[in-house]
Amino acid sequence: MPQVEKHARPAIHHDVIVIGAGFSGINAGIRLKQQGITDFAILERADDVGGTWRDNTYPGCACDVPSHLYSYSFEQNPDWSTTYSGSAEIQAYIQRCAEKYGLHDHLQFGVGIAAAEFDDARGIWHLTAEDGACYTARAVVCAVGGLVEPATPNFAGMDDFKGEIMHTARWNHDISLAGKKVAVIGTGASAIQVIPAIAPEVAQLSVIQRSAPYVLPKLDKALPDLMKTTFRRLPFAQTAFRRAILAITEGLVGPAVILNSPLATGMKKLALWNMRSTVKDAALREKLTPDYEIGCKRVLFASNYYPALTRDNVTVETAGIERFTENGLRLSDGREIEADVIVTATGFKINIASPPFPVIGENGVPLADIWDGPGGKAYKGVATAGVPNWFFMLGPNTGPGHTSVLIYTEAQARYITQAIAKLLDDELTAIAVKPDIMQRYHEKLQNRMRYTSWTSGCQSWYLDEHGENHTLFPGLATEYALSMRRFKLGEYEVVR
Ligand code: NAP
């Protein structure tokens, strides 16, 4: 491997460095190889591929997007065991893909990037790892994921609590919950999966709910062998099935994010019916009725959540948490909730719009200054003006509210590899999207946000502190993917 001098230690150089080996980073690696770019490394701070599916192993963890859609279109798996596969099965799928596409020669584990800086004169990125190791690259694909670092609120008295505290994304499998008193804080996508999974084994489960979610039924079924055999023998049948799921999510769920649309109203009725048909206790129904518009927070899918809440050993607490105590929680209404274990299902520190380390673009200007605030801006979610040769996977405004995120990230991987191929083949020094192109794109997206339920007045991780949505794409996945078909150099400033 050639070495380039600039850091205190000699740097390892590659044409391309991909940061992160989750679904996005692996996809980028596969595409780079298919594009004929072979000198690349995928740097991963953990010890395995998989990202979110490696980290989230809490009981009940699964994807709420059907597996035949929540998988690479070019690597369909006829053997999914259920409609919505569990985290271990998805993790095994990602591992298989990394193996099959020969990425192990490119993967380096235990390398967490701590800083990145662009060298304008040479058109080279300098990356410094947490252990001081140095890397350089002509181009960087930043595939660090958006929901990575657990966010545990700093509740008063946490140190006083004598039991165990664990976040859903850092599940401690050494702790048995059998026969214990457990409190789960949060009722988001992770909580509604873990609650039904642990409710039967614990002695008492207290669900601490700040906002009631809208929950739609999840038609999760074991898939019959006949279907698997058919898909194995007739891959086009699986493609047709995948397209049908995409069409349903795009046609029925996607438009429902338009505020007060007939589909949104229909979906709200369905979610409330789903709750009322299961929960007969009027007081509990009142607690479980959301007080905001459907779609404002993520709409959840589960058929076992409401039944779990009606169990004798489960209570739903809606008073706020005043503090942790030695033996549990004290609520704002003065009651004490006893707990041996407290599960924080409180979500993640959002970095969809910004890498979790400083990035210095051209002329020494930090990415944070270019964005001038917490919310990110990137042309098509992948390229930011003033940050040449740097491409985001799952960057600003590219998350879906209604379908598989892989539709978006596959389109990004294709677009980004076209851009990098141009950079390398034409021996360009730097390419960075033109500022006016990025700004116009950003303003158009933000304008469309006004018609969505995301900005209809609730608090959610979709929004930054100014109430702006820098996470989701306000349109259909197909629209986004079509817009990403061709990289156009004319939209970029070029240094030759
Ligand atoms: P989340 O959606 O952010 O939910 C966090 C929960 O914790 C919310 O109910 C929140 O209440 C509550 N909370 C936060 N701080 C609190 C506090 N100080 N006191 C009381 N309650 C508090 O996090 P998540 O459930 O981990 O899900 C995050 C994202 O991960 C999802 O939106 C989804 O994109 C992804 N995910 C996907 C799947 C899947 O199946 N595809 C599964 C799990 C996660 P408020 O609502 O009032 O803020």
Side-chain angles (χ1 to χ4, degrees):
M1 244 170 252
Q3 298 198 327
V4 176
E5 295 294 334
K6 177 201 176 189
H7 299 85
R9 283 159 63 173
I12 298 165
H13 182 77
H14 293 281
D15 281 344
V16 187
I17 284 180
V18 180
I19 308 174
F23 248 132
S24 298
I26 294 299
N27 193 163
I30 293 170
R31 279 285 163 209
L32 286 168
K33 277 191 92 166
Q34 289 172 340
Q35 189 80 35
I37 299 167
T38 51
D39 180 14
F40 68 92
I42 305 176
L43 308 181
E44 166 58 55
R45 68 178 173 176
D47 58 1
D48 197 357
V49 300
T52 200
W53 300 105
R54 176 199 59 229
D55 293 345
N56 283 271
T57 61
Y58 57 81
C61 183
C63 187
D64 60 9
V65 176
S67 300
H68 289 92
L69 188 60
Y70 192 81
S71 43
Y72 298 130
S73 62
F74 54 84
E75 187 55 44
Q76 296 189 42
N77 173 22
D79 294 317
W80 291 116
S81 61
T82 59
T83 331
Y84 299 89
S85 300
S87 63
E89 199 172 342
I90 301 172
Q91 170 66 355
Y93 168 82
I94 303 173
Q95 286 168 330
R96 273 201 314 278
C97 289
E99 184 75 42
K100 175 171 172 181
Y101 287 88
L103 293 187
H104 279 283
D105 292 344
H106 300 271
L107 278 160
Q108 291 178 39
F109 296 112
V111 184
I113 295 303
E117 185 172 356
F118 189 63
D119 177 338
D120 299 8
R122 298 160 76 196
I124 278 180
W125 277 99
H126 293 262
L127 305 180
T128 309
E130 282 155 2
D131 67 356
C134 304
Y135 299 82
T136 54
R138 298 291 324 285
V140 173
V141 181
C142 182
V144 295
L147 301 165
V148 181
E149 287 300 328
T152 301
N154 196 9
F155 294 106
M158 278 178 106
D159 291 342
D160 300 342
F161 180 57
K162 284 190 182 147
E164 300 286 346
I165 302 174
M166 58 178 160
H167 191 279
T168 41
R170 297 289 180 270
W171 198 263
N172 184 346
H173 291 273
D174 294 336
I175 298 173
S176 164
L177 299 184
K180 298 219 171 111
K181 290 180 185 154
V182 179
V184 175
I185 303 176
T187 50
S190 302
I192 66 140
Q193 293 181 340
V194 77
I195 287 165
I198 63 174
E201 66 167 320
V202 304
Q204 171 63 36
L205 180 55
S206 307
V207 176
I208 315 293
Q209 173 189 280
R210 189 165 67 177
S211 318
Y214 285 97
V215 185
L216 290 170
K218 187 177 181 189
L219 307 172
D220 198 7
K221 293 269 172 286
L223 296 173
D225 287 343
L226 180 63
M227 186 175 184
K228 295 177 194 167
T229 313
T230 307
F231 285 170
R232 214 170 296 129
R233 294 199 184 143
L234 305 170
F236 68 87
Q238 182 161 2
T239 304
F241 185 63
R242 177 187 172 93
R243 288 189 182 152
I245 303 170
L246 177 61
I248 291 169
T249 58
E250 293 272 81
L252 290 180
V253 193
V257 302
I258 305 296
L259 189 58
N260 298 326
S261 66
L263 276 170
T265 311
M267 199 175 276
K268 182 172 176 175
K269 281 187 182 149
L270 178 62
L272 293 177
W273 168 84
N274 184 37
M275 187 263 287
R276 289 179 188 139
S277 64
T278 316
V279 180
K280 300 299 171 203
D281 173 348
L284 183 55
R285 279 156 75 140
E286 200 183 325
K287 285 182 185 175
L288 298 178
T289 304
D291 60 359
Y292 55 90
E293 282 308 320
I294 190 160
C296 190
K297 292 172 191 274
R298 198 172 196 269
V299 178
L300 308 180
F301 293 85
S303 292
N304 52 4
Y305 179 60
Y306 290 131
L309 299 186
T310 62
R311 293 175 60 95
D312 289 343
N313 66 337
V314 178
T315 56
V316 177
E317 306 294 347
T318 51
I321 297 167
E322 190 184 291
R323 59 175 295 118
F324 279 44
T325 62
E326 266 187 29
N327 300 315
L329 300 168
R330 184 176 313 136
L331 301 184
S332 56
D333 60 9
R335 282 178 309 123
E336 300 263 348
I337 303 290
E338 280 187 27
D340 305 306
V341 179
I342 296 178
V343 174
T344 50
T346 44
F348 297 87
K349 294 176 188 159
I350 306 306
N351 60 306
I352 265 183
S354 73
F357 48 81
V359 175
I360 313 292
E362 65 189 358
N363 302 319
V365 181
L367 176 65
D369 290 1
I370 295 169
W371 281 348
D372 190 22
K377 275 183 213 169
Y379 180 53
K380 300 190 177 195
V382 298
T384 290
V387 190
N389 305 1
W390 179 283
F391 301 95
F392 292 102
M393 295 284 292
L394 204 55
N397 291 112
T398 63
H402 65 284
T403 189
S404 170
V405 70
L406 300 192
I407 311 291
Y408 298 74
T409 51
E410 271 194 38
Q412 289 159 11
R414 268 196 307 270
Y415 178 95
I416 290 170
T417 43
Q418 285 177 38
I420 293 175
K422 191 81 188 150
L423 176 83
L424 300 178
D425 293 348
D426 292 6
E427 296 182 5
L428 307 175
T429 303
I431 54 172
V433 69
K434 293 176 177 165
D436 56 323
I437 297 242
M438 179 182 82
Q439 188 59 25
R440 270 206 303 277
Y441 179 84
H442 178 73
E443 282 167 12
K444 240 165 134 180
L445 282 197
Q446 291 304 322
N447 195 33
R448 288 172 71 178
M449 291 296 174
R450 290 188 293 147
Y451 305 104
T452 68
S453 45
W454 305 324
T455 47
S456 62
C458 71
Q459 278 287 327
S460 81
W461 65 260
Y462 295 162
L463 307 181
D464 67 17
E465 65 219 55
H466 308 295
E468 278 195 18
N469 188 331
H470 294 269
T471 53
L472 301 187
F473 180 71
L476 297 181
T478 318
E479 173 199 342
Y480 178 76
L482 284 173
S483 78
M484 298 291 280
R485 267 182 315 172
R486 244 176 334 118
F487 166 76
K488 295 180 187 152
L489 190 61
E491 296 175 332
Y492 285 70
E493 285 173 345
V494 179
V495 180
R496 291 180 190 274

XYZ file of all heavy atoms in Angstrom, residues 24 27 69 242 246 249-250 254 380-382 392-416 441 454 471-484:
404
model
N -25.319 0.617 4.598
C -24.911 1.613 3.594
C -23.464 1.424 3.164
O -23.154 1.456 1.972
C -25.032 3.030 4.168
O -26.332 3.307 4.505
N -23.024 -1.594 1.025
C -23.569 -1.299 -0.303
C -22.573 -0.462 -1.114
O -22.316 -0.736 -2.295
C -24.895 -0.533 -0.127
C -25.714 -0.450 -1.391
O -26.892 -0.160 -1.349
N -25.140 -0.697 -2.553
N -38.394 -6.301 1.035
C -38.083 -4.946 0.569
C -36.897 -4.383 1.346
O -36.120 -3.597 0.817
C -39.318 -4.041 0.743
C -39.229 -2.646 0.141
C -39.010 -2.720 -1.371
C -40.516 -1.860 0.422
N -41.446 -8.100 -4.365
C -40.762 -6.926 -3.795
C -41.386 -5.638 -4.344
O -41.662 -4.694 -3.603
C -39.271 -7.022 -4.156
C -38.436 -5.846 -3.713
C -37.019 -5.987 -4.279
N -36.268 -4.777 -4.025
C -35.480 -4.570 -2.972
N -35.334 -5.504 -2.078
N -34.850 -3.443 -2.801
N -43.259 -2.516 -2.463
C -42.840 -1.120 -2.659
C -44.037 -0.276 -3.108
O -44.271 0.823 -2.599
C -41.712 -1.047 -3.697
C -41.233 0.365 -4.051
C -40.674 1.088 -2.831
C -40.172 0.338 -5.158
N -46.270 0.473 -0.160
C -45.730 1.497 0.765
C -45.725 2.872 0.099
O -46.024 3.878 0.737
C -44.306 1.144 1.254
O -43.446 1.007 0.110
C -44.272 -0.129 2.059
N -45.434 2.891 -1.192
C -45.389 4.182 -1.888
C -46.793 4.729 -2.135
O -47.031 5.928 -2.051
C -44.679 4.025 -3.239
C -43.203 3.708 -3.131
C -42.340 4.950 -3.039
O -42.231 5.499 -1.927
O -41.759 5.351 -4.058
N -46.915 6.230 1.838
C -46.184 7.466 1.521
C -47.063 8.709 1.532
O -46.806 9.659 2.274
N -29.084 16.447 -2.990
C -29.604 15.083 -3.059
C -29.217 14.261 -1.822
O -29.172 13.029 -1.863
C -29.119 14.389 -4.331
C -29.591 15.137 -5.576
C -29.358 14.396 -6.845
C -29.950 15.215 -7.988
N -30.120 14.510 -9.211
N -28.853 14.955 -0.749
C -28.498 14.266 0.486
C -27.100 13.700 0.494
O -26.676 13.083 1.474
N -26.322 13.900 -0.592
C -25.014 13.240 -0.647
C -23.825 14.197 -0.707
O -22.722 13.826 -0.291
C -24.906 12.246 -1.840
C -25.898 11.125 -1.731
C -25.054 12.941 -3.167
N -21.993 11.655 1.343
C -22.747 11.057 2.448
C -23.627 9.925 1.942
O -24.271 10.046 0.898
C -23.700 12.082 3.067
C -23.009 13.199 3.781
C -22.883 14.447 3.187
C -22.499 13.021 5.057
C -22.256 15.483 3.843
C -21.870 14.057 5.718
C -21.746 15.294 5.110
N -23.675 8.848 2.698
C -24.749 7.871 2.549
C -25.727 8.214 3.660
O -25.324 8.457 4.808
C -24.227 6.444 2.774
C -23.220 5.961 1.748
S -23.964 5.502 0.183
C -24.886 4.043 0.592
N -27.001 8.203 3.332
C -28.037 8.534 4.318
C -27.764 9.900 4.959
O -27.852 10.074 6.169
C -28.120 7.435 5.395
C -29.436 7.297 6.155
C -30.609 7.116 5.216
C -29.374 6.129 7.109
N -27.421 10.859 4.091
C -27.159 12.214 4.567
C -28.441 12.978 4.814
O -29.524 12.389 4.902
N -28.332 14.313 4.894
C -29.491 15.133 5.231
C -30.686 14.873 4.312
O -30.532 14.756 3.092
C -28.977 16.567 5.027
C -27.505 16.458 5.183
C -27.112 15.108 4.717
N -31.863 14.803 4.926
C -33.137 14.671 4.187
C -33.186 13.491 3.224
O -33.702 13.617 2.100
C -33.455 15.973 3.430
C -33.811 17.093 4.388
O -33.068 18.047 4.509
N -34.914 16.953 5.096
N -32.656 12.361 3.651
C -32.787 11.168 2.803
C -33.370 9.981 3.558
O -33.288 8.845 3.088
C -31.445 10.760 2.165
O -30.525 10.416 3.209
C -30.864 11.850 1.306
N -33.940 10.239 4.730
C -34.581 9.144 5.453
C -36.015 8.984 4.959
O -36.644 9.956 4.547
N -36.522 7.755 4.981
C -37.917 7.563 4.568
C -38.845 7.606 5.775
O -38.459 7.228 6.876
C -37.893 6.151 3.998
C -36.817 5.451 4.757
C -35.849 6.479 5.250
N -40.078 8.056 5.554
C -41.053 7.963 6.632
C -41.987 6.786 6.406
O -42.822 6.498 7.240
N -41.843 6.097 5.261
C -42.911 5.159 4.926
C -42.452 3.854 4.289
O -43.256 2.960 4.098
C -43.855 5.844 3.935
C -43.197 6.141 2.610
N -42.307 7.169 2.444
C -43.272 5.505 1.416
C -41.883 7.171 1.186
N -42.445 6.169 0.554
N -41.174 3.755 3.899
C -40.778 2.543 3.164
C -39.353 2.165 3.544
O -38.811 2.681 4.523
C -40.936 2.771 1.641
O -40.745 1.521 0.963
C -39.946 3.783 1.092
N -38.742 1.291 2.734
C -37.411 0.804 3.091
C -36.338 1.856 2.813
O -36.255 2.401 1.705
C -37.098 -0.450 2.269
O -35.748 -0.804 2.438
N -35.493 2.075 3.796
C -34.399 3.032 3.648
C -33.408 2.576 2.574
O -32.688 3.367 1.985
C -33.704 3.239 5.018
C -32.933 1.990 5.438
C -32.793 4.437 5.009
N -33.432 1.276 2.284
C -32.452 0.776 1.313
C -32.746 1.246 -0.111
O -31.855 1.259 -0.959
C -32.377 -0.756 1.353
C -31.967 -1.380 2.680
C -31.642 -2.853 2.503
C -30.774 -0.684 3.286
N -33.988 1.650 -0.385
C -34.284 2.216 -1.709
C -33.443 3.484 -1.888
O -32.907 3.765 -2.951
C -35.783 2.592 -1.844
C -36.691 1.458 -1.390
C -36.115 3.068 -3.268
C -36.690 0.251 -2.263
N -33.334 4.242 -0.798
C -32.599 5.501 -0.835
C -31.088 5.236 -0.879
O -30.367 5.831 -1.669
C -32.921 6.356 0.401
C -34.376 6.746 0.487
C -35.358 5.829 0.843
C -34.779 8.043 0.193
C -36.694 6.190 0.915
C -36.114 8.413 0.260
C -37.066 7.482 0.624
O -38.392 7.838 0.681
N -30.622 4.349 -0.020
C -29.177 4.164 0.068
C -28.611 3.445 -1.167
O -27.491 3.723 -1.576
C -28.788 3.427 1.369
O -29.577 2.244 1.481
C -29.014 4.296 2.577
N -29.399 2.565 -1.772
C -28.922 1.938 -3.019
C -28.740 2.989 -4.099
O -27.770 2.971 -4.861
C -29.921 0.888 -3.511
C -29.660 -0.484 -2.952
C -30.429 -1.567 -3.697
O -30.572 -1.488 -4.923
O -30.876 -2.509 -3.020
N -29.703 3.910 -4.179
C -29.611 4.984 -5.184
C -28.379 5.850 -4.892
O -27.669 6.275 -5.811
C -30.882 5.831 -5.157
N -28.117 6.091 -3.612
C -26.942 6.897 -3.251
C -25.647 6.185 -3.634
O -24.725 6.803 -4.167
C -26.965 7.187 -1.740
C -28.056 8.170 -1.358
C -28.458 8.107 0.097
O -27.797 7.462 0.912
N -29.536 8.776 0.434
N -25.589 4.890 -3.360
C -24.362 4.144 -3.668
C -24.060 4.203 -5.163
O -22.913 4.385 -5.578
C -24.485 2.700 -3.185
N -25.118 4.082 -5.968
C -24.939 4.145 -7.428
C -24.422 5.523 -7.848
O -23.467 5.650 -8.606
C -26.285 3.891 -8.129
C -26.543 2.444 -8.472
C -27.671 2.329 -9.485
N -28.876 3.029 -9.062
C -29.858 2.505 -8.340
N -29.763 1.244 -7.946
N -30.916 3.197 -8.017
N -25.076 6.558 -7.336
C -24.736 7.943 -7.709
C -23.305 8.272 -7.263
O -22.499 8.816 -8.028
C -25.739 8.878 -7.027
C -25.524 10.350 -7.266
C -26.195 11.019 -8.282
C -24.662 11.095 -6.449
C -26.017 12.384 -8.486
C -24.474 12.448 -6.644
C -25.153 13.087 -7.661
O -24.971 14.437 -7.857
N -22.998 7.898 -6.037
C -21.689 8.255 -5.467
C -20.560 7.541 -6.229
O -19.515 8.137 -6.511
C -21.656 7.897 -3.954
C -22.576 8.862 -3.184
C -20.235 7.931 -3.405
C -22.815 8.468 -1.734
N -31.845 23.256 -4.058
C -32.372 21.922 -3.744
C -32.922 21.906 -2.307
O -34.029 21.442 -2.043
C -31.258 20.881 -3.898
C -31.679 19.467 -3.565
C -32.318 18.672 -4.510
C -31.440 18.923 -2.306
C -32.714 17.373 -4.208
C -31.835 17.635 -1.990
C -32.463 16.863 -2.946
O -32.863 15.579 -2.638
N -45.063 15.916 9.521
C -43.861 15.948 10.373
C -43.705 17.285 11.090
O -43.116 17.352 12.153
C -42.608 15.683 9.533
C -42.670 14.400 8.760
C -43.256 13.225 9.178
C -42.166 14.149 7.444
N -43.129 12.274 8.200
C -42.470 12.801 7.123
C -41.481 14.913 6.505
C -42.105 12.217 5.919
C -41.125 14.332 5.307
C -41.428 13.008 5.021
N -34.004 15.463 8.310
C -33.781 14.021 8.314
C -34.532 13.293 7.199
O -33.978 12.410 6.569
C -34.214 13.417 9.669
O -35.544 13.829 9.926
C -33.325 13.881 10.795
N -35.789 13.681 6.950
C -36.609 12.881 6.040
C -36.741 13.520 4.657
O -36.653 14.737 4.516
C -38.009 12.698 6.631
C -38.077 12.019 7.998
C -39.511 11.758 8.377
C -37.298 10.715 8.025
N -37.003 12.670 3.667
C -37.225 13.145 2.303
C -38.733 13.344 2.101
O -39.497 12.391 2.267
C -36.691 12.114 1.301
C -36.879 12.531 -0.124
C -36.124 13.561 -0.668
C -37.834 11.916 -0.929
C -36.307 13.968 -1.986
C -38.023 12.311 -2.244
C -37.254 13.347 -2.772
N -39.154 14.545 1.731
C -40.600 14.804 1.647
C -41.187 14.384 0.303
O -41.760 15.203 -0.416
C -40.675 16.323 1.826
C -39.389 16.818 1.243
C -38.359 15.757 1.475
N -41.024 13.138 -0.037
C -41.561 12.654 -1.313
C -41.502 11.139 -1.313
O -41.226 10.512 -0.281
N -41.727 10.569 -2.474
C -41.697 9.116 -2.572
C -40.266 8.632 -2.797
O -39.435 9.344 -3.384
C -42.600 8.648 -3.706
C -44.094 8.973 -3.525
C -44.900 8.444 -4.700
C -44.630 8.395 -2.220
N -40.003 7.406 -2.378
C -38.675 6.815 -2.555
C -38.347 6.690 -4.036
O -37.209 6.905 -4.468
C -38.634 5.448 -1.883
N -39.360 6.347 -4.824
C -39.139 6.165 -6.259
C -38.719 7.486 -6.892
O -37.832 7.514 -7.749
C -40.439 5.657 -6.921
O -41.000 4.670 -6.068
C -40.187 5.081 -8.276
N -39.351 8.563 -6.463
C -38.991 9.889 -6.980
C -37.514 10.174 -6.656
O -36.750 10.609 -7.517
C -39.887 10.939 -6.305
C -39.502 12.365 -6.631
C -40.074 13.374 -5.622
O -41.026 13.044 -4.887
O -39.530 14.494 -5.570
N -37.152 9.889 -5.413
C -35.768 10.140 -5.003
C -34.792 9.289 -5.831
O -33.801 9.787 -6.374
C -35.600 9.844 -3.503
C -34.181 10.037 -3.035
C -33.673 11.320 -2.834
C -33.338 8.949 -2.834
C -32.358 11.512 -2.436
C -32.028 9.128 -2.436
C -31.541 10.410 -2.232
O -30.232 10.600 -1.845
N -35.115 7.991 -5.941
C -34.206 7.082 -6.653
C -34.059 7.508 -8.115
O -32.952 7.489 -8.671
C -34.713 5.645 -6.553
N -35.161 7.925 -8.741
C -35.082 8.358 -10.147
C -34.198 9.597 -10.280
O -33.433 9.734 -11.236
C -36.488 8.666 -10.681
C -37.351 7.433 -11.001
C -38.765 7.843 -11.366
C -36.727 6.611 -12.121
N -34.284 10.484 -9.289
C -33.489 11.719 -9.361
C -31.989 11.433 -9.201
O -31.159 12.289 -9.476
C -33.934 12.709 -8.273
O -33.385 12.331 -7.027
N -31.666 10.231 -8.753
C -30.267 9.885 -8.470
C -29.647 9.033 -9.578
O -28.547 8.508 -9.414
C -30.183 9.082 -7.162
C -30.665 9.809 -5.949
S -29.572 11.158 -5.499
C -28.271 10.279 -4.654
